[in-house]
Amino acid sequence: MELGYGINASFLGVTAIAVAVFFIGIVSFAAKSYKKVPQGQVLVRNGAGGTMVIFDGGFVLPILHQYEYLDITIKTITLHFEGREALKFKSGEKVEIEAMLYVRVNPENASEVAQSVGCKNTFDQDFLNQMFIPKFREGILTTVEEMNLETGKPLPREMLNRKVRETIGTQLNGFVLEDCAFNKVKLIQ
């Protein structure tokens, strides 16, 4: 049946179905290409357009892009200086210390961390311990060895905290030292 101007009704029907299938395909492709970023993570996308760090969600096109998630939550690194490993103040007193240091990826440096450490390693507590414990251990050891303890006064936790942060620094290869806490600071004989 012709509708006028030489247009066939079956041609119009086939065209409408083709347009609908095309539209559904585009919507489906867009939905599959959009990656939502979970809380406490960023998406690092590489490929066409260079490296991008995405905080809330974005498009990752197959073949053109690769992507990984990077953990930006705070991680705890715990150190113990007890028994034979107890530390000695400059003034000679020995002290047992349990320190907890809190680090996280600085979101502004997520691209640097992705390249130098790898996205998967930011989720691995053992990897982070291996990366930070030597530096933190040396920072605490150096700080305590340079401090004098005044007789009869309480142990200077706040000063110890401040000096350790100054010694270690806050910028750590794209990570940030958020805080440090001393759960145990005990003089021993």
Side-chain angles (χ1 to χ4, degrees), residues 18-106:
V19 168
V21 167
F22 179 75
F23 180 73
I24 290 170
I26 293 290
V27 170
S28 176
F29 178 75
K32 287 185 181 232
S33 296
Y34 187 80
K35 303 297 179 196
K36 188 164 174 57
V37 180
Q39 189 72 21
Q41 298 177 17
V42 295
L43 184 138
V44 180
R45 184 184 81 185
N46 297 308
T51 300
M52 285 186 67
V53 176
I54 301 169
F55 292 90
D56 49 6
F59 287 97
V60 177
L61 302 176
I63 301 172
L64 298 178
H65 299 130
Q66 292 180 323
Y67 72 96
E68 289 184 273
Y69 291 102
L70 186 134
D71 189 356
I72 58 171
T73 59
I74 295 175
K75 302 291 187 201
T76 304
I77 310 292
T78 304
L79 296 166
H80 300 274
F81 299 91
E82 299 172 330
R84 291 182 39 190
E85 292 185 8
L87 303 177
K88 198 176 208 181
F89 283 105
K90 187 177 181 180
S91 51
E93 296 87 352
K94 286 185 98 176
V95 65
E96 288 185 339
I97 293 176
E98 178 184 283
M100 299 180 79
L101 296 103
Y102 304 95
V103 297
R104 68 174 174 81
V105 172
N106 182 349

